[in-house]
Amino acid sequence: MRPDQDMESKETAGLALELLEQSVVDLKSVGTDRPGIEVSEAVPLPEHGVSVVFVNLGNTKMELLHPLGSDSPITGFLQKNKAGGMHHICIEVDNINAAVTDLKKKKIRSLSDEIKIGAHGKPVIFLHPKDCGGVLVELEQA
Ligand SMILES: C[C@@H](C(=O)O)C(=O)SCCNC(=O)CCNC(=O)[C@H](O)C(C)(C)COP(=O)(O)OP(=O)(O)OC[C@H]1O[C@@H](n2cnc3c(N)ncnc32)[C@H](O)[C@@H]1OP(=O)(O)O
């Protein structure tokens, strides 16, 4: 997928992890407890099947994801990637409906018909990794 003028990088990465608490401890041990760097508590998002720790590094944001519930969308990923890893990137768009319509014309599939409210309280939708160079991409409306 090639970002066009309707899209800009929001520089958010989602990392799927089996051991969420240990990962936060590890992050803090390498210096993310410094002023200006924010690490949230784990926030359960049952409608997305994940718990999320938000890490704001100033110029980059990360989401540490842990499965929540019996049918979490990240369970399969963690079964294949036992040590966890980079799960998705998030790209901010001005108008998510316009972006999805445009991408559809370019044969880039959404993983659902439904636009949900994401972790930041904004509309989100995921695109098929097979249509995005093997990367799972989340669109988030600004
Ligand atoms: C809170 C919210 C927010 O920030 O707003 C979030 O982040 S929620 C974050 C969690 N939510 C989501 O991820 C929602 C969208 N994700 C999904 O619908 C699912 O996770 C899928 C991407 C469809 C994968 O589902 P599942 O693992 O059950 O299917 P599967 O094992 O058959 O995988 C189908 C193919 O996709 C590949 N695949 C699976 N997960 C992938 C990933 N994260 N990145 C790149 N490729 C991936 C598999 O290797 C496989 O390729 P091969 O066929 O070549 O083997």
Side-chain angles (χ1 to χ4, degrees):
M1 188 185 68
R2 195 176 299 242
D4 59 23
Q5 58 191 12
D6 200 23
M7 299 182 173
E8 68 183 63
S9 169
K10 196 183 151 213
E11 296 182 57
T12 301
L15 289 88
L17 303 158
E18 273 293 1
L19 301 169
L20 192 58
E21 284 172 18
Q22 185 58 47
S23 300
V24 172
V25 171
D26 289 348
L27 260 176
K28 289 187 172 175
S29 74
V30 295
T32 56
D33 55 349
R34 287 173 295 170
I37 294 177
E38 299 155 15
V39 182
S40 80
E41 296 298 317
V43 179
L45 297 171
E47 65 279 24
H48 288 282
V50 290
S51 293
V52 184
V53 171
F54 297 96
V55 181
N56 189 344
L57 300 174
N59 59 356
T60 302
K61 293 178 189 164
M62 292 192 296
E63 294 174 0
L64 308 185
L65 306 169
H66 188 262
L68 179 66
S70 55
D71 57 350
S72 171
I74 69 171
T75 299
F77 179 90
L78 284 170
Q79 279 166 354
K80 286 182 194 160
N81 303 274
K82 300 283 183 210
M86 176 81 174
H87 181 260
H88 69 269
I89 62 165
C90 179
I91 296 174
E92 192 176 87
V93 296
D94 291 334
N95 181 326
I96 199 162
N97 287 305
V100 169
T101 302
D102 182 47
L103 291 168
K104 208 171 179 178
K105 284 185 202 149
K106 294 170 181 162
K107 309 279 183 217
I108 295 172
R109 293 165 288 172
S110 305
L111 281 168
S112 66
D113 294 328
E114 185 195 1
I115 292 170
K116 288 188 178 178
I117 297 301
H120 304 103
K122 298 174 179 180
V124 299
I125 198 161
F126 284 83
L127 306 178
H128 204 300
K130 300 261 184 234
D131 299 343
C132 302
V135 178
L136 180 59
V137 175
E138 179 184 23
L139 300 182
E140 179 180 274
Q141 185 162 288

PDB file of all heavy atoms in Angstrom, residues 6-45:
ATOM      1  N   ASP A   6      -4.194  11.606   1.238  1.00  0.00           N
ATOM      2  CA  ASP A   6      -5.246  11.429   2.229  1.00  0.00           C
ATOM      3  C   ASP A   6      -4.715  10.759   3.496  1.00  0.00           C
ATOM      4  O   ASP A   6      -5.419  10.600   4.468  1.00  0.00           O
ATOM      5  CB  ASP A   6      -6.346  10.558   1.609  1.00  0.00           C
ATOM      6  CG  ASP A   6      -7.662  10.707   2.340  1.00  0.00           C
ATOM      7  OD1 ASP A   6      -7.856  11.738   3.006  1.00  0.00           O
ATOM      8  OD2 ASP A   6      -8.462   9.791   2.239  1.00  0.00           O
ATOM      9  N   MET A   7      -3.464  10.361   3.473  1.00  0.00           N
ATOM     10  CA  MET A   7      -2.924   9.586   4.582  1.00  0.00           C
ATOM     11  C   MET A   7      -1.599  10.167   5.050  1.00  0.00           C
ATOM     12  O   MET A   7      -0.823  10.684   4.280  1.00  0.00           O
ATOM     13  CB  MET A   7      -2.633   8.158   4.145  1.00  0.00           C
ATOM     14  CG  MET A   7      -3.835   7.428   3.687  1.00  0.00           C
ATOM     15  SD  MET A   7      -3.350   5.784   3.284  1.00  0.00           S
ATOM     16  CE  MET A   7      -4.939   5.072   2.994  1.00  0.00           C
ATOM     17  N   GLU A   8      -1.359  10.043   6.326  1.00  0.00           N
ATOM     18  CA  GLU A   8      -0.039  10.376   6.814  1.00  0.00           C
ATOM     19  C   GLU A   8       0.300   9.418   7.950  1.00  0.00           C
ATOM     20  O   GLU A   8      -0.582   8.913   8.620  1.00  0.00           O
ATOM     21  CB  GLU A   8       0.026  11.826   7.304  1.00  0.00           C
ATOM     22  CG  GLU A   8      -0.785  12.086   8.540  1.00  0.00           C
ATOM     23  CD  GLU A   8      -0.740  13.549   8.948  1.00  0.00           C
ATOM     24  OE1 GLU A   8      -1.217  14.376   8.160  1.00  0.00           O
ATOM     25  OE2 GLU A   8      -0.241  13.835  10.021  1.00  0.00           O
ATOM     26  N   SER A   9       1.597   9.163   8.113  1.00  0.00           N
ATOM     27  CA  SER A   9       2.005   8.210   9.145  1.00  0.00           C
ATOM     28  C   SER A   9       1.768   8.798  10.522  1.00  0.00           C
ATOM     29  O   SER A   9       2.100   9.929  10.795  1.00  0.00           O
ATOM     30  CB  SER A   9       3.489   7.890   8.994  1.00  0.00           C
ATOM     31  OG  SER A   9       3.909   7.175  10.131  1.00  0.00           O
ATOM     32  N   LYS A  10       1.148   7.996  11.364  1.00  0.00           N
ATOM     33  CA  LYS A  10       0.925   8.430  12.734  1.00  0.00           C
ATOM     34  C   LYS A  10       1.986   7.844  13.651  1.00  0.00           C
ATOM     35  O   LYS A  10       2.040   8.128  14.827  1.00  0.00           O
ATOM     36  CB  LYS A  10      -0.467   7.957  13.161  1.00  0.00           C
ATOM     37  CG  LYS A  10      -0.991   8.610  14.369  1.00  0.00           C
ATOM     38  CD  LYS A  10      -2.319   7.986  14.698  1.00  0.00           C
ATOM     39  CE  LYS A  10      -2.517   8.067  16.195  1.00  0.00           C
ATOM     40  NZ  LYS A  10      -3.260   6.935  16.683  1.00  0.00           N
ATOM     41  N   GLU A  11       2.830   7.024  13.054  1.00  0.00           N
ATOM     42  CA  GLU A  11       3.936   6.425  13.766  1.00  0.00           C
ATOM     43  C   GLU A  11       3.494   5.720  15.030  1.00  0.00           C
ATOM     44  O   GLU A  11       3.996   5.966  16.108  1.00  0.00           O
ATOM     45  CB  GLU A  11       5.002   7.480  14.078  1.00  0.00           C
ATOM     46  CG  GLU A  11       5.614   8.056  12.815  1.00  0.00           C
ATOM     47  CD  GLU A  11       6.696   9.058  13.110  1.00  0.00           C
ATOM     48  OE1 GLU A  11       7.634   8.688  13.799  1.00  0.00           O
ATOM     49  OE2 GLU A  11       6.556  10.189  12.662  1.00  0.00           O
ATOM     50  N   THR A  12       2.494   4.864  14.884  1.00  0.00           N
ATOM     51  CA  THR A  12       2.109   4.005  15.995  1.00  0.00           C
ATOM     52  C   THR A  12       2.338   2.563  15.569  1.00  0.00           C
ATOM     53  O   THR A  12       1.979   2.173  14.479  1.00  0.00           O
ATOM     54  CB  THR A  12       0.617   4.177  16.344  1.00  0.00           C
ATOM     55  OG1 THR A  12       0.382   5.526  16.691  1.00  0.00           O
ATOM     56  CG2 THR A  12       0.224   3.297  17.518  1.00  0.00           C
ATOM     57  N   ALA A  13       2.976   1.792  16.472  1.00  0.00           N
ATOM     58  CA  ALA A  13       3.214   0.386  16.184  1.00  0.00           C
ATOM     59  C   ALA A  13       2.569  -0.446  17.264  1.00  0.00           C
ATOM     60  O   ALA A  13       2.626  -0.104  18.444  1.00  0.00           O
ATOM     61  CB  ALA A  13       4.719   0.113  16.133  1.00  0.00           C
ATOM     62  N   GLY A  14       1.930  -1.543  16.871  1.00  0.00           N
ATOM     63  CA  GLY A  14       1.348  -2.473  17.833  1.00  0.00           C
ATOM     64  C   GLY A  14       2.230  -3.702  17.935  1.00  0.00           C
ATOM     65  O   GLY A  14       2.544  -4.325  16.926  1.00  0.00           O
ATOM     66  N   LEU A  15       2.642  -4.042  19.147  1.00  0.00           N
ATOM     67  CA  LEU A  15       3.480  -5.213  19.361  1.00  0.00           C
ATOM     68  C   LEU A  15       2.700  -6.232  20.179  1.00  0.00           C
ATOM     69  O   LEU A  15       2.194  -5.898  21.258  1.00  0.00           O
ATOM     70  CB  LEU A  15       4.766  -4.842  20.108  1.00  0.00           C
ATOM     71  CG  LEU A  15       5.783  -4.037  19.293  1.00  0.00           C
ATOM     72  CD1 LEU A  15       5.499  -2.553  19.426  1.00  0.00           C
ATOM     73  CD2 LEU A  15       7.176  -4.340  19.760  1.00  0.00           C
ATOM     74  N   ALA A  16       2.585  -7.446  19.664  1.00  0.00           N
ATOM     75  CA  ALA A  16       1.858  -8.498  20.383  1.00  0.00           C
ATOM     76  C   ALA A  16       2.823  -9.232  21.307  1.00  0.00           C
ATOM     77  O   ALA A  16       3.934  -9.573  20.911  1.00  0.00           O
ATOM     78  CB  ALA A  16       1.251  -9.477  19.379  1.00  0.00           C
ATOM     79  N   LEU A  17       2.388  -9.453  22.536  1.00  0.00           N
ATOM     80  CA  LEU A  17       3.266 -10.028  23.547  1.00  0.00           C
ATOM     81  C   LEU A  17       2.519 -11.025  24.396  1.00  0.00           C
ATOM     82  O   LEU A  17       1.354 -10.818  24.732  1.00  0.00           O
ATOM     83  CB  LEU A  17       3.793  -8.914  24.480  1.00  0.00           C
ATOM     84  CG  LEU A  17       4.541  -7.786  23.781  1.00  0.00           C
ATOM     85  CD1 LEU A  17       4.529  -6.551  24.641  1.00  0.00           C
ATOM     86  CD2 LEU A  17       5.949  -8.221  23.474  1.00  0.00           C
ATOM     87  N   GLU A  18       3.200 -12.101  24.790  1.00  0.00           N
ATOM     88  CA  GLU A  18       2.608 -13.065  25.716  1.00  0.00           C
ATOM     89  C   GLU A  18       2.692 -12.557  27.147  1.00  0.00           C
ATOM     90  O   GLU A  18       1.798 -12.745  27.939  1.00  0.00           O
ATOM     91  CB  GLU A  18       3.350 -14.413  25.639  1.00  0.00           C
ATOM     92  CG  GLU A  18       2.849 -15.352  24.570  1.00  0.00           C
ATOM     93  CD  GLU A  18       1.436 -15.876  24.817  1.00  0.00           C
ATOM     94  OE1 GLU A  18       0.805 -15.513  25.820  1.00  0.00           O
ATOM     95  OE2 GLU A  18       0.960 -16.637  23.972  1.00  0.00           O
ATOM     96  N   LEU A  19       3.812 -11.933  27.487  1.00  0.00           N
ATOM     97  CA  LEU A  19       4.069 -11.552  28.880  1.00  0.00           C
ATOM     98  C   LEU A  19       4.046 -10.035  28.998  1.00  0.00           C
ATOM     99  O   LEU A  19       5.078  -9.373  28.968  1.00  0.00           O
ATOM    100  CB  LEU A  19       5.425 -12.112  29.341  1.00  0.00           C
ATOM    101  CG  LEU A  19       5.539 -13.633  29.242  1.00  0.00           C
ATOM    102  CD1 LEU A  19       6.977 -14.085  29.443  1.00  0.00           C
ATOM    103  CD2 LEU A  19       4.633 -14.294  30.274  1.00  0.00           C
ATOM    104  N   LEU A  20       2.849  -9.486  29.122  1.00  0.00           N
ATOM    105  CA  LEU A  20       2.697  -8.030  29.080  1.00  0.00           C
ATOM    106  C   LEU A  20       3.405  -7.353  30.248  1.00  0.00           C
ATOM    107  O   LEU A  20       4.171  -6.416  30.054  1.00  0.00           O
ATOM    108  CB  LEU A  20       1.208  -7.699  29.102  1.00  0.00           C
ATOM    109  CG  LEU A  20       0.821  -6.268  28.780  1.00  0.00           C
ATOM    110  CD1 LEU A  20       1.337  -5.868  27.408  1.00  0.00           C
ATOM    111  CD2 LEU A  20      -0.690  -6.104  28.827  1.00  0.00           C
ATOM    112  N   GLU A  21       3.183  -7.839  31.454  1.00  0.00           N
ATOM    113  CA  GLU A  21       3.772  -7.178  32.624  1.00  0.00           C
ATOM    114  C   GLU A  21       5.291  -7.219  32.560  1.00  0.00           C
ATOM    115  O   GLU A  21       5.966  -6.239  32.855  1.00  0.00           O
ATOM    116  CB  GLU A  21       3.290  -7.846  33.913  1.00  0.00           C
ATOM    117  CG  GLU A  21       1.864  -7.452  34.243  1.00  0.00           C
ATOM    118  CD  GLU A  21       1.288  -8.245  35.401  1.00  0.00           C
ATOM    119  OE1 GLU A  21       2.065  -8.845  36.158  1.00  0.00           O
ATOM    120  OE2 GLU A  21       0.063  -8.271  35.520  1.00  0.00           O
ATOM    121  N   GLN A  22       5.840  -8.375  32.157  1.00  0.00           N
ATOM    122  CA  GLN A  22       7.300  -8.490  32.068  1.00  0.00           C
ATOM    123  C   GLN A  22       7.840  -7.527  31.016  1.00  0.00           C
ATOM    124  O   GLN A  22       8.905  -6.929  31.197  1.00  0.00           O
ATOM    125  CB  GLN A  22       7.693  -9.933  31.736  1.00  0.00           C
ATOM    126  CG  GLN A  22       9.201 -10.169  31.754  1.00  0.00           C
ATOM    127  CD  GLN A  22       9.831  -9.832  33.102  1.00  0.00           C
ATOM    128  OE1 GLN A  22       9.325 -10.239  34.149  1.00  0.00           O
ATOM    129  NE2 GLN A  22      10.904  -9.036  33.091  1.00  0.00           N
ATOM    130  N   SER A  23       7.088  -7.336  29.923  1.00  0.00           N
ATOM    131  CA  SER A  23       7.551  -6.432  28.871  1.00  0.00           C
ATOM    132  C   SER A  23       7.605  -4.999  29.363  1.00  0.00           C
ATOM    133  O   SER A  23       8.510  -4.243  29.002  1.00  0.00           O
ATOM    134  CB  SER A  23       6.622  -6.529  27.661  1.00  0.00           C
ATOM    135  OG  SER A  23       6.623  -7.828  27.172  1.00  0.00           O
ATOM    136  N   VAL A  24       6.643  -4.625  30.196  1.00  0.00           N
ATOM    137  CA  VAL A  24       6.657  -3.264  30.753  1.00  0.00           C
ATOM    138  C   VAL A  24       7.859  -3.112  31.683  1.00  0.00           C
ATOM    139  O   VAL A  24       8.575  -2.103  31.651  1.00  0.00           O
ATOM    140  CB  VAL A  24       5.333  -2.960  31.493  1.00  0.00           C
ATOM    141  CG1 VAL A  24       5.421  -1.649  32.240  1.00  0.00           C
ATOM    142  CG2 VAL A  24       4.182  -2.912  30.485  1.00  0.00           C
ATOM    143  N   VAL A  25       8.132  -4.123  32.489  1.00  0.00           N
ATOM    144  CA  VAL A  25       9.305  -4.089  33.375  1.00  0.00           C
ATOM    145  C   VAL A  25      10.573  -3.967  32.537  1.00  0.00           C
ATOM    146  O   VAL A  25      11.450  -3.150  32.824  1.00  0.00           O
ATOM    147  CB  VAL A  25       9.349  -5.366  34.263  1.00  0.00           C
ATOM    148  CG1 VAL A  25      10.669  -5.448  35.011  1.00  0.00           C
ATOM    149  CG2 VAL A  25       8.176  -5.389  35.227  1.00  0.00           C
ATOM    150  N   ASP A  26      10.647  -4.753  31.454  1.00  0.00           N
ATOM    151  CA  ASP A  26      11.826  -4.710  30.582  1.00  0.00           C
ATOM    152  C   ASP A  26      11.996  -3.321  29.969  1.00  0.00           C
ATOM    153  O   ASP A  26      13.095  -2.775  29.918  1.00  0.00           O
ATOM    154  CB  ASP A  26      11.696  -5.739  29.441  1.00  0.00           C
ATOM    155  CG  ASP A  26      11.824  -7.165  29.936  1.00  0.00           C
ATOM    156  OD1 ASP A  26      12.237  -7.358  31.091  1.00  0.00           O
ATOM    157  OD2 ASP A  26      11.489  -8.073  29.168  1.00  0.00           O
ATOM    158  N   LEU A  27      10.864  -2.740  29.510  1.00  0.00           N
ATOM    159  CA  LEU A  27      10.918  -1.403  28.904  1.00  0.00           C
ATOM    160  C   LEU A  27      11.454  -0.393  29.903  1.00  0.00           C
ATOM    161  O   LEU A  27      12.317   0.423  29.596  1.00  0.00           O
ATOM    162  CB  LEU A  27       9.513  -0.972  28.501  1.00  0.00           C
ATOM    163  CG  LEU A  27       9.108  -1.114  27.053  1.00  0.00           C
ATOM    164  CD1 LEU A  27       7.660  -0.716  26.895  1.00  0.00           C
ATOM    165  CD2 LEU A  27       9.978  -0.264  26.156  1.00  0.00           C
ATOM    166  N   LYS A  28      10.924  -0.458  31.127  1.00  0.00           N
ATOM    167  CA  LYS A  28      11.335   0.518  32.140  1.00  0.00           C
ATOM    168  C   LYS A  28      12.811   0.342  32.484  1.00  0.00           C
ATOM    169  O   LYS A  28      13.523   1.299  32.721  1.00  0.00           O
ATOM    170  CB  LYS A  28      10.456   0.395  33.381  1.00  0.00           C
ATOM    171  CG  LYS A  28       9.044   0.908  33.092  1.00  0.00           C
ATOM    172  CD  LYS A  28       8.174   0.981  34.320  1.00  0.00           C
ATOM    173  CE  LYS A  28       6.874   1.688  33.958  1.00  0.00           C
ATOM    174  NZ  LYS A  28       5.906   1.723  35.034  1.00  0.00           N
ATOM    175  N   SER A  29      13.273  -0.911  32.454  1.00  0.00           N
ATOM    176  CA  SER A  29      14.666  -1.167  32.819  1.00  0.00           C
ATOM    177  C   SER A  29      15.635  -0.606  31.778  1.00  0.00           C
ATOM    178  O   SER A  29      16.789  -0.368  32.080  1.00  0.00           O
ATOM    179  CB  SER A  29      14.908  -2.659  33.024  1.00  0.00           C
ATOM    180  OG  SER A  29      14.936  -3.300  31.770  1.00  0.00           O
ATOM    181  N   VAL A  30      15.149  -0.382  30.531  1.00  0.00           N
ATOM    182  CA  VAL A  30      16.043   0.217  29.533  1.00  0.00           C
ATOM    183  C   VAL A  30      15.840   1.727  29.443  1.00  0.00           C
ATOM    184  O   VAL A  30      16.351   2.370  28.547  1.00  0.00           O
ATOM    185  CB  VAL A  30      15.918  -0.423  28.130  1.00  0.00           C
ATOM    186  CG1 VAL A  30      16.369  -1.854  28.146  1.00  0.00           C
ATOM    187  CG2 VAL A  30      14.520  -0.283  27.548  1.00  0.00           C
ATOM    188  N   GLY A  31      15.085   2.286  30.361  1.00  0.00           N
ATOM    189  CA  GLY A  31      15.089   3.743  30.463  1.00  0.00           C
ATOM    190  C   GLY A  31      13.814   4.445  30.112  1.00  0.00           C
ATOM    191  O   GLY A  31      13.792   5.670  30.021  1.00  0.00           O
ATOM    192  N   THR A  32      12.707   3.744  29.917  1.00  0.00           N
ATOM    193  CA  THR A  32      11.481   4.451  29.538  1.00  0.00           C
ATOM    194  C   THR A  32      10.740   5.007  30.756  1.00  0.00           C
ATOM    195  O   THR A  32       9.630   5.497  30.615  1.00  0.00           O
ATOM    196  CB  THR A  32      10.526   3.550  28.734  1.00  0.00           C
ATOM    197  OG1 THR A  32      10.266   2.391  29.492  1.00  0.00           O
ATOM    198  CG2 THR A  32      11.092   3.200  27.395  1.00  0.00           C
ATOM    199  N   ASP A  33      11.364   4.945  31.936  1.00  0.00           N
ATOM    200  CA  ASP A  33      10.747   5.601  33.087  1.00  0.00           C
ATOM    201  C   ASP A  33      11.276   7.023  33.241  1.00  0.00           C
ATOM    202  O   ASP A  33      11.062   7.672  34.247  1.00  0.00           O
ATOM    203  CB  ASP A  33      10.969   4.782  34.364  1.00  0.00           C
ATOM    204  CG  ASP A  33      12.429   4.495  34.623  1.00  0.00           C
ATOM    205  OD1 ASP A  33      13.251   4.741  33.714  1.00  0.00           O
ATOM    206  OD2 ASP A  33      12.732   4.032  35.726  1.00  0.00           O
ATOM    207  N   ARG A  34      11.958   7.533  32.209  1.00  0.00           N
ATOM    208  CA  ARG A  34      12.457   8.910  32.254  1.00  0.00           C
ATOM    209  C   ARG A  34      11.321   9.905  32.044  1.00  0.00           C
ATOM    210  O   ARG A  34      10.299   9.558  31.429  1.00  0.00           O
ATOM    211  CB  ARG A  34      13.520   9.123  31.174  1.00  0.00           C
ATOM    212  CG  ARG A  34      14.836   8.450  31.511  1.00  0.00           C
ATOM    213  CD  ARG A  34      15.785   8.550  30.366  1.00  0.00           C
ATOM    214  NE  ARG A  34      15.289   7.798  29.228  1.00  0.00           N
ATOM    215  CZ  ARG A  34      15.819   7.859  28.022  1.00  0.00           C
ATOM    216  NH1 ARG A  34      16.824   8.638  27.771  1.00  0.00           N
ATOM    217  NH2 ARG A  34      15.323   7.134  27.039  1.00  0.00           N
ATOM    218  N   PRO A  35      11.484  11.163  32.530  1.00  0.00           N
ATOM    219  CA  PRO A  35      10.434  12.163  32.319  1.00  0.00           C
ATOM    220  C   PRO A  35      10.146  12.344  30.831  1.00  0.00           C
ATOM    221  O   PRO A  35      11.048  12.283  30.009  1.00  0.00           O
ATOM    222  CB  PRO A  35      11.045  13.444  32.901  1.00  0.00           C
ATOM    223  CG  PRO A  35      12.132  13.001  33.800  1.00  0.00           C
ATOM    224  CD  PRO A  35      12.629  11.683  33.274  1.00  0.00           C
ATOM    225  N   GLY A  36       8.876  12.562  30.495  1.00  0.00           N
ATOM    226  CA  GLY A  36       8.492  12.775  29.099  1.00  0.00           C
ATOM    227  C   GLY A  36       8.129  11.497  28.385  1.00  0.00           C
ATOM    228  O   GLY A  36       7.573  11.514  27.301  1.00  0.00           O
ATOM    229  N   ILE A  37       8.466  10.370  28.991  1.00  0.00           N
ATOM    230  CA  ILE A  37       8.119   9.084  28.387  1.00  0.00           C
ATOM    231  C   ILE A  37       7.025   8.461  29.236  1.00  0.00           C
ATOM    232  O   ILE A  37       7.156   8.343  30.456  1.00  0.00           O
ATOM    233  CB  ILE A  37       9.355   8.174  28.291  1.00  0.00           C
ATOM    234  CG1 ILE A  37      10.339   8.804  27.304  1.00  0.00           C
ATOM    235  CG2 ILE A  37       8.968   6.768  27.862  1.00  0.00           C
ATOM    236  CD1 ILE A  37      11.638   8.080  27.145  1.00  0.00           C
ATOM    237  N   GLU A  38       5.919   8.151  28.577  1.00  0.00           N
ATOM    238  CA  GLU A  38       4.739   7.697  29.329  1.00  0.00           C
ATOM    239  C   GLU A  38       4.450   6.235  29.034  1.00  0.00           C
ATOM    240  O   GLU A  38       4.430   5.836  27.874  1.00  0.00           O
ATOM    241  CB  GLU A  38       3.519   8.538  28.926  1.00  0.00           C
ATOM    242  CG  GLU A  38       3.671  10.016  29.231  1.00  0.00           C
ATOM    243  CD  GLU A  38       2.802  10.888  28.326  1.00  0.00           C
ATOM    244  OE1 GLU A  38       1.883  10.365  27.669  1.00  0.00           O
ATOM    245  OE2 GLU A  38       3.090  12.097  28.268  1.00  0.00           O
ATOM    246  N   VAL A  39       4.236   5.488  30.097  1.00  0.00           N
ATOM    247  CA  VAL A  39       3.827   4.073  29.968  1.00  0.00           C
ATOM    248  C   VAL A  39       2.551   3.915  30.787  1.00  0.00           C
ATOM    249  O   VAL A  39       2.560   4.120  31.995  1.00  0.00           O
ATOM    250  CB  VAL A  39       4.921   3.117  30.494  1.00  0.00           C
ATOM    251  CG1 VAL A  39       4.483   1.664  30.309  1.00  0.00           C
ATOM    252  CG2 VAL A  39       6.251   3.355  29.787  1.00  0.00           C
ATOM    253  N   SER A  40       1.445   3.578  30.111  1.00  0.00           N
ATOM    254  CA  SER A  40       0.157   3.491  30.808  1.00  0.00           C
ATOM    255  C   SER A  40       0.024   2.170  31.563  1.00  0.00           C
ATOM    256  O   SER A  40       0.835   1.253  31.385  1.00  0.00           O
ATOM    257  CB  SER A  40      -1.003   3.604  29.802  1.00  0.00           C
ATOM    258  OG  SER A  40      -1.227   2.365  29.158  1.00  0.00           O
ATOM    259  N   GLU A  41      -0.993   2.087  32.366  1.00  0.00           N
ATOM    260  CA  GLU A  41      -1.403   0.794  32.910  1.00  0.00           C
ATOM    261  C   GLU A  41      -2.011  -0.019  31.762  1.00  0.00           C
ATOM    262  O   GLU A  41      -2.324   0.528  30.706  1.00  0.00           O
ATOM    263  CB  GLU A  41      -2.482   1.001  33.994  1.00  0.00           C
ATOM    264  CG  GLU A  41      -2.001   1.772  35.204  1.00  0.00           C
ATOM    265  CD  GLU A  41      -0.881   1.064  35.938  1.00  0.00           C
ATOM    266  OE1 GLU A  41      -0.983  -0.160  36.123  1.00  0.00           O
ATOM    267  OE2 GLU A  41       0.113   1.726  36.295  1.00  0.00           O
ATOM    268  N   ALA A  42      -2.194  -1.312  31.983  1.00  0.00           N
ATOM    269  CA  ALA A  42      -2.872  -2.134  30.972  1.00  0.00           C
ATOM    270  C   ALA A  42      -4.347  -1.757  30.919  1.00  0.00           C
ATOM    271  O   ALA A  42      -5.006  -1.652  31.958  1.00  0.00           O
ATOM    272  CB  ALA A  42      -2.714  -3.610  31.303  1.00  0.00           C
ATOM    273  N   VAL A  43      -4.836  -1.493  29.703  1.00  0.00           N
ATOM    274  CA  VAL A  43      -6.237  -1.096  29.504  1.00  0.00           C
ATOM    275  C   VAL A  43      -6.965  -2.238  28.783  1.00  0.00           C
ATOM    276  O   VAL A  43      -6.592  -2.589  27.651  1.00  0.00           O
ATOM    277  CB  VAL A  43      -6.319   0.189  28.640  1.00  0.00           C
ATOM    278  CG1 VAL A  43      -7.772   0.585  28.416  1.00  0.00           C
ATOM    279  CG2 VAL A  43      -5.516   1.315  29.270  1.00  0.00           C
ATOM    280  N   PRO A  44      -7.972  -2.872  29.422  1.00  0.00           N
ATOM    281  CA  PRO A  44      -8.695  -3.933  28.721  1.00  0.00           C
ATOM    282  C   PRO A  44      -9.623  -3.363  27.659  1.00  0.00           C
ATOM    283  O   PRO A  44     -10.369  -2.419  27.932  1.00  0.00           O
ATOM    284  CB  PRO A  44      -9.497  -4.617  29.846  1.00  0.00           C
ATOM    285  CG  PRO A  44      -9.604  -3.607  30.935  1.00  0.00           C
ATOM    286  CD  PRO A  44      -8.476  -2.618  30.781  1.00  0.00           C
ATOM    287  N   LEU A  45      -9.566  -3.908  26.437  1.00  0.00           N
ATOM    288  CA  LEU A  45     -10.451  -3.482  25.347  1.00  0.00           C
ATOM    289  C   LEU A  45     -11.179  -4.723  24.833  1.00  0.00           C
ATOM    290  O   LEU A  45     -10.815  -5.300  23.796  1.00  0.00           O
ATOM    291  CB  LEU A  45      -9.644  -2.825  24.221  1.00  0.00           C
ATOM    292  CG  LEU A  45      -8.910  -1.532  24.584  1.00  0.00           C
ATOM    293  CD1 LEU A  45      -7.989  -1.108  23.445  1.00  0.00           C
ATOM    294  CD2 LEU A  45      -9.890  -0.421  24.909  1.00  0.00           C
TER     295      LEU A  45
END
